[in-house]
Amino acid sequence: MINLSGIVKTYPGSSGPVHALKGVSIQVNSGEIFGVIGKSGAGKSTLIRCINMLEKPTVGTVVVDGQELSSMSERDLRDARKKIGMIFQHFNLLSSRTVYDNIAFPLELVGWDKKKIEDAVLPLLDLVGLSDKRNQYPSQLSGGQKQRVGIARALASRPKVLLCDEATSALDPQTTQSILELLKDINKRLGLTIVLITHEMQVIKQICDRVAVIENGVIIEQGPVIDLFAKPETTTTREFIRTIINYDLPDIFKDTAFSPVPLTDSHLIVRVSFLGKAAKEPIIASLIRHCNVDVSILFGNIDHIQNIPFGTLIIEVTGDTTSMQSALNYLEARELGVEVIGYVKRDALAIS
């Protein structure tokens, strides 16, 4: 559905060129919700605006629904954009127009008659839950209601793609939840492909199928959301995950020095992530039985990612060097996320 290949975006700066995007390539499948997460200034807003060519890439190609937008004339590009809706952080509603008229505005611009506009707008008002607000003005609406108007307006031209530029960042947590549920519902009902950018991992966790992590204009990691939670490969991804799931080591390890290799009379400390059916299996009991080791659970947490159970354990594995390595091999051979924190001597722990 969407294919960005080798996207480079460079702006002129007072002290030389500013490289906002540095060879970004992503592919978004039809009907999925794809998230792009990054810190402020990482390049995520520039990236999403390249999809509808509000920002023209310096280098690279943009293909949406089989059309290469990056090589189109301005006239053809205007037509292509009609199939790409967009909603914004600050709503961008026209204050002098009612809810109905805000939604109708893009249809008026392309010359639809009043009856055709009405037939399109009324179902959208119902879809976003604002039928009773049709004659009100933006100043009379809450933030969540304004964003619902923005969503309905973006859907008015019946797009195949919906771009969400920090669509929930200006909203409180409860309203954010309701807007995300609405986007998920629209995705399912209309088969709409959604691309959203955010700096909030909770948004990614709640509704995205896949995600790309962007840093300094480069995609540093991407894949299914559940895979990134189970096996984050970069420090930045781990930092984002820590905002909603506790990945910190327990206080018993405060000031503890870990060795990457076994020491004399040392114990192995491992973080194990469980996903889906693995969260229900007796992994620890099996580990003890098969590998002749003792296992202590030092920390545990269970959560859900879109109804898929996800848990983490920090365990201490005790045994001889061969047995500990066997235990590590046993864990890594299963559908688990395994992170070796290191080896410590028993007398190095605060619980000793």
Side-chain angles (χ1 to χ4, degrees):
M1 168 56 77
I2 300 172
N3 195 334
L4 305 185
S5 180
I7 300 298
V8 174
K9 180 62 180 179
T10 304
Y11 298 99
S14 56
S15 57
V18 177
H19 302 285
L21 298 174
K22 307 169 185 176
V24 169
S25 296
I26 60 172
Q27 183 172 332
V28 181
N29 300 320
S30 179
E32 77 174 339
I33 302 179
F34 189 95
V36 179
I37 189 168
K39 299 176 182 178
S40 179
K44 55 186 184 294
S45 290
T46 301
L47 176 59
I48 200 170
R49 289 168 68 87
C50 282
I51 295 176
N52 60 4
M53 300 296 287
L54 290 178
E55 294 283 359
K56 293 189 176 181
T58 307
V59 177
T61 59
V62 178
V63 178
V64 179
D65 195 27
Q67 295 183 299
E68 187 179 334
L69 274 57
S70 44
S71 63
M72 283 185 174
S73 66
E74 283 297 327
R75 180 177 179 178
D76 290 341
L77 189 55
R78 284 194 295 271
D79 288 336
R81 285 196 183 111
K82 294 173 185 176
K83 296 302 179 183
I84 306 174
M86 190 167 188
I87 58 176
F88 305 89
Q89 178 180 357
H90 297 296
F91 322 126
N92 292 1
L93 302 182
L94 299 172
S95 61
S96 61
R97 297 174 68 98
T98 65
V99 168
Y100 180 99
D101 290 336
N102 263 282
I103 299 170
F105 185 61
L107 304 180
E108 293 173 6
L109 290 179
V110 295
W112 286 25
D113 62 46
K114 289 186 177 180
K115 180 62 170 65
K116 190 176 180 182
I117 289 175
E118 183 179 41
D119 289 344
V121 172
L122 293 182
L124 288 172
L125 283 166
D126 185 57
L127 178 66
V128 300
L130 291 178
S131 294
D132 60 334
K133 307 291 183 184
R134 60 173 290 176
N135 295 320
Q136 293 191 4
Y137 290 87
S139 61
Q140 299 172 287
L141 304 177
S142 67
Q145 290 168 339
K146 290 177 183 177
Q147 193 57 283
R148 287 172 181 267
V149 177
I151 292 171
R153 181 184 58 188
L155 297 177
S157 59
R158 300 170 185 169
K160 293 184 177 181
V161 174
L162 180 63
L163 307 180
C164 306
D165 188 357
E166 294 278 12
T168 61
S169 294
L171 306 176
D172 62 73
Q174 185 174 358
T175 305
T176 292
Q177 175 81 11
S178 70
I179 293 298
L180 294 178
E181 289 174 354
L182 175 60
L183 290 173
K184 188 75 171 179
D185 182 56
I186 289 170
N187 167 255
K188 289 182 177 179
R189 285 199 198 188
L190 305 182
L192 198 64
T193 302
I194 298 178
V195 180
L196 62 85
I197 65 168
T198 183
H199 61 272
E200 301 171 291
M201 201 64 183
Q202 182 64 40
V203 172
I204 299 295
K205 174 189 172 188
Q206 186 168 336
I207 69 167
C208 290
D209 301 304
R210 292 192 302 128
V211 60
V213 184
I214 188 169
E215 184 174 51
N216 296 323
V218 177
I219 300 296
I220 59 172
E221 191 168 356
Q222 63 178 308
V225 170
I226 55 177
D227 287 355
L228 261 68
F229 271 86
K231 300 178 182 180
E233 296 178 356
T234 66
T235 300
T236 298
T237 303
R238 292 189 189 97
E239 288 175 357
F240 277 121
I241 293 173
R242 282 191 181 97
T243 63
I244 55 175
I245 295 178
N246 185 6
Y247 262 61
D248 295 331
L249 292 175
D251 288 342
I252 60 170
F253 293 116
K254 186 177 181 180
D255 301 324
T256 299
F258 294 98
S259 169
V261 296
L263 305 169
T264 302
D265 192 30
S266 64
H267 308 267
L268 174 62
I269 309 299
V270 182
R271 190 196 317 269
V272 183
S273 299
F274 303 80
L275 189 65
K277 65 178 183 180
K280 302 177 182 179
E281 296 178 357
I283 298 295
I284 301 304
S286 297
L287 179 65
I288 294 170
R289 185 169 60 252
H290 284 87
C291 301
N292 191 31
V293 291
D294 292 326
V295 178
S296 299
I297 297 175
L298 306 178
F299 173 82
N301 182 64
I302 188 72
D303 205 328
H304 287 79
I305 302 171
Q306 299 181 36
N307 298 320
I308 299 174
F310 171 73
T312 57
L313 290 176
I314 296 178
I315 60 174
E316 177 188 30
V317 181
T318 304
D320 58 42
T321 301
T322 301
S323 297
M324 288 191 292
Q325 184 59 51
S326 175
L328 184 57
N329 294 341
Y330 182 86
L331 293 171
E332 290 177 339
R334 272 131 191 89
E335 296 180 2
L336 306 168
V338 180
E339 177 190 355
V340 176
I341 297 172
Y343 294 84
V344 295
K345 289 192 173 184
R346 168 63 70 174
D347 57 10
L349 297 179
I351 59 173
S352 298

